[in-house]
Amino acid sequence: MDLGIYTESADIYDDFELRGKGTSDITNQKIINILEKNSVKTVLDMSCGTGAQAIALARHGFDVTASDLSREMIEITKTKSKGLAIQFNVGDMQYLDLGKFDAVISMFNSIGHLTKEQLFKTLVNAKNNLSKNGLLIFDIFNRDVMPLLPRHKFIDQAREEGNQFLIRFTQFDFSRPEGILNTKQTLLIQKGIGKTKTINREYDLLTYKRKELKFMLGEAGYHNVHISDHGLADFADLENPLVNMLMHLVVAVKLD
Ligand SMILES: C[S@@+](CC[C@H](N)C(=O)[O-])C[C@H]1O[C@@H](n2cnc3c(N)ncnc32)[C@H](O)[C@@H]1O
């Protein structure tokens, strides 16, 4: 599994993926609502990254275990969550065996990095980490909206933050078979009037159709499946048009 985009650029993940966007707060509130409705107390985040969900959930009072395959990303979560009682683990979500949790989550397209076979393995394995009536929540790009993505290279971020300039060019390619969304990006970071740092990166994410996910979840032994769009209405006020277009399917599954 190539984790280069995370391990090599963990220090700038928040600059481009979290800060300057309101989406993280909206996602977290949605998750909190679902967890509270289901009387969840313990949560395993299988792909915590720099802690976007894990830290918010711990702050809200949930007992959180934060896991990720990238040690570099975990280290950033650790630094950001000082004072919070989060348990940490470095590991591949396909094979985690960390106890029984009321909820297991994996957010922001993390599962898109897995092959279909790996996702199936992850879904089956997640059951071992779930208590009776446990909840599994994850999100993934909706393959049905991928053809709507622009095909040209465009600027999807341009911000001045503190003494930093942050610019990102993105180009999508959804022409490959099997629902693979290929993304090429150029990140420009400049502190003050210092030298511009340029990072070129490329990664593939697997996208899914609702029906396909439902079938896979059924095969993996989950039956009480709820799949909803991330909710375009929620994003309507945000200025980033990309977020409006990249609809996620959010999947919440309750073990019988
Ligand atoms: C897009 S980031 C999402 C991180 C965080 N949940 C967020 O919302 O910012 C995807 C994360 O998945 C992790 N990841 C990718 N493959 C993984 C695997 N097989 N097991 C565990 N984590 C994985 C990456 O290291 C990365 O931190």
Side-chain angles (χ1 to χ4, degrees), residues 17-247:
E17 305 297 347
L18 297 188
R19 276 198 295 276
K21 295 184 179 182
T23 50
S24 198
D25 292 342
I26 295 170
T27 305
N28 288 337
Q29 195 49 57
K30 274 175 181 265
I31 297 172
I32 288 168
N33 291 348
I34 300 174
L35 298 184
E36 285 186 334
K37 208 169 144 197
N38 287 278
S39 308
V40 166
K41 294 203 164 35
T42 56
V43 181
L44 166 62
D45 186 346
M46 300 195 290
S47 55
C48 68
T50 58
Q53 295 81 36
I55 294 174
L57 297 183
R59 278 205 185 112
H60 198 81
F62 294 103
D63 179 349
V64 176
T65 297
S67 182
D68 199 282
L69 189 51
S70 162
R71 190 174 292 278
E72 288 77 1
M73 297 290 267
I74 290 270
E75 286 308 318
I76 290 176
T77 306
K78 274 188 190 166
T79 308
K80 284 167 62 183
S81 64
K82 288 238 160 70
L84 290 170
I86 297 178
Q87 288 77 244
F88 292 98
N89 178 70
V90 178
D92 190 323
M93 63 174 121
Q94 294 174 75
Y95 311 108
L96 298 180
D97 183 11
L98 297 173
K100 298 286 183 195
F101 297 84
D102 299 335
V104 171
I105 67 169
S106 176
M107 300 306 293
F108 203 20
N109 298 310
S110 303
I111 64 154
H113 291 289
L114 305 173
T115 63
K116 235 182 233 179
E117 292 70 29
Q118 289 171 335
L119 173 59
F120 186 72
K121 212 183 274 180
T122 301
L123 293 174
V124 171
N125 187 64
K127 289 194 294 180
N128 300 330
N129 293 277
L130 279 169
S131 48
K132 198 170 177 285
N133 296 321
L135 260 186
L136 171 67
I137 304 174
F138 61 89
D139 68 348
I140 186 68
F141 280 147
N142 182 352
R143 186 181 305 174
D144 286 329
V145 302
M146 291 298 121
L148 300 176
L149 292 178
R151 285 156 187 259
H152 54 270
K153 184 174 173 178
F154 61 99
I155 296 174
D156 78 325
Q157 291 198 36
R159 301 199 326 274
E160 187 178 353
E161 212 182 72
N163 74 336
Q164 271 200 137
F165 292 100
L166 302 160
I167 296 174
R168 184 168 77 182
F169 291 90
T170 290
Q171 181 153 28
F172 294 121
D173 178 2
F174 190 63
S175 59
R176 298 193 191 178
E178 299 294 328
I180 294 170
L181 175 66
N182 173 266
T183 305
K184 292 187 188 69
Q185 290 179 324
T186 301
L187 281 50
L188 303 177
I189 304 153
Q190 185 182 300
K191 283 196 167 65
I193 54 167
K195 253 191 180 169
T196 310
K197 182 176 172 187
T198 305
I199 298 171
N200 288 304
R201 65 186 194 183
E202 178 174 356
Y203 56 93
D204 288 336
L205 286 173
L206 208 49
T207 66
Y208 288 86
K209 284 174 183 276
R210 184 186 294 255
K211 217 168 143 190
E212 194 180 359
L213 275 179
K214 214 162 186 168
F215 178 76
M216 256 179 120
L217 284 158
E219 291 289 294
Y222 297 90
H223 302 292
N224 199 352
V225 179
H226 300 273
I227 302 182
S228 67
D229 295 335
H230 206 293
L232 261 191
D234 286 346
F235 291 127
D237 294 334
L238 297 178
E239 282 175 4
N240 185 346
L242 186 65
V243 174
N244 276 319
M245 297 195 63
L246 290 182
M247 278 188 293

